[in-house]
Amino acid sequence: MKKPILFCDFDGTITNTDNIIAIMKKFAPPEWVGIKDQILSQEIPIQVGVSQLFSLLPSDWKEEITDYITQHAVIREGFKEFVEFTQKQGIQLYVVSGGIDFFVEPLLEGLVPLENIYCNKSDFSGERIRILWPYTCDTECSNQCGCCKPTLIRSLAGSDDYKIVIGDSITDLQAAKLADKVIARDFLVEKCTELGLKYAPFETFFDVINVLEKVEVR
């Protein structure tokens, strides 16, 4: 019998909105929109695009940007109960995020242990914000993912694990292709439909709990 293991996205999944997009809307000059469109259309790799986005912002805005996100980001309904459900069921939960440490970690504090959070890092020592990539692609991936979710799945999941991916966006697509089950919303639903990947839809984490309760692992 396989064991369920969960890989959950952060921006737009655990939070109701994408925090990188929220930061850019609030702080970035207009050229951010063209970069964002190139990322979503897969014209440029995620790693390249996100680096370009944050290079538009001065490092000395760190405190203002962090305060803005921690005050305005909303955790999706049912997430606390979802985490408690995984703990009671003994299901391993990892947050794998293309988000950045300076907002991901404070927003998940007290909910998910730090060692179970995999996200990109930030460097504010220069004139502009620089993004660091500690979880970049292995030799099996050439997509320049940034935080490479397929690589993390390969490294964290064993052959006896039933891999469940929860996500909403283009950053979750390659991970979804490796999953035994996909729980999706928003843009990821469109891509799963387009590619014929089976998925269960969700809007709140109470929906996710309902899906997990019905999973038959063999």
Side-chain angles (χ1 to χ4, degrees):
M1 176 87 88
K2 289 193 169 187
K3 301 176 299 177
I5 181 169
L6 297 172
F7 297 92
C8 185
D9 175 52
F10 181 76
D11 288 286
T13 300
I14 293 174
T15 56
N16 283 342
T17 53
D18 186 299
N19 295 291
I20 292 176
I21 298 295
I23 288 169
M24 295 304 146
K25 281 182 177 176
K26 176 72 174 174
F27 296 98
E31 55 261 40
W32 82 269
V33 177
I35 299 169
K36 178 259 298 179
D37 290 343
Q38 286 182 300
I39 296 170
L40 291 178
S41 65
Q42 298 175 275
E43 288 176 56
I44 59 174
I46 291 164
Q47 186 169 341
V48 171
V50 172
S51 290
Q52 289 178 0
L53 287 174
F54 278 94
S55 72
L56 298 171
L57 304 177
S59 290
D60 58 10
W61 290 5
K62 177 183 180 181
E63 190 173 339
E64 188 180 352
I65 293 170
T66 305
D67 287 347
Y68 175 77
I69 283 298
T70 52
Q71 288 167 22
H72 288 82
V74 177
I75 300 293
R76 189 172 298 277
E77 186 184 0
F79 183 70
K80 181 173 176 287
E81 290 83 355
F82 160 73
V83 173
E84 290 170 354
F85 172 82
T86 64
Q87 290 168 345
K88 284 177 187 170
Q89 298 297 317
I91 298 172
Q92 185 68 266
L93 168 64
Y94 293 104
V95 174
V96 288
S97 171
I100 319 299
D101 57 355
F102 72 90
F103 62 81
V104 173
E105 291 172 3
L107 287 168
L108 288 177
E109 190 173 356
L111 290 167
V112 178
L114 193 59
E115 62 269 22
N116 284 27
I117 301 170
Y118 292 82
C119 65
N120 299 313
K121 306 297 182 185
S122 50
D123 177 5
F124 292 87
S125 63
E127 186 180 329
R128 299 272 164 174
I129 300 173
R130 191 164 74 95
I131 305 304
L132 309 176
W133 311 99
Y135 307 112
T136 192
C137 304
D138 62 14
T139 54
E140 292 184 53
C141 183
S142 57
N143 293 313
Q144 290 182 265
C145 299
C147 179
C148 184
K149 298 180 183 185
T151 296
L152 286 168
I153 289 172
R154 282 190 284 270
S155 104
L156 294 169
S159 57
D160 289 335
D161 289 326
Y162 184 87
K163 301 177 291 294
I164 301 171
V165 167
I166 307 168
D168 79 306
S169 185
I170 190 70
T171 61
D172 305 301
L173 179 57
Q174 300 306 319
K177 292 176 182 177
L178 296 182
D180 295 299
K181 188 167 194 67
V182 180
I183 305 174
R185 61 176 301 279
D186 201 41
F187 191 72
L188 186 60
V189 167
E190 292 177 33
K191 298 306 288 185
C192 285
T193 304
E194 185 184 305
L195 296 172
L197 299 175
K198 290 183 180 178
Y199 69 91
F202 81 100
E203 278 305 319
T204 74
F205 275 92
F206 293 117
D207 299 329
V208 176
I209 293 170
N210 288 337
V211 172
L212 293 175
E213 285 176 332
K214 294 169 187 168
V215 167
E216 291 186 15
V217 179
R218 305 205 179 277

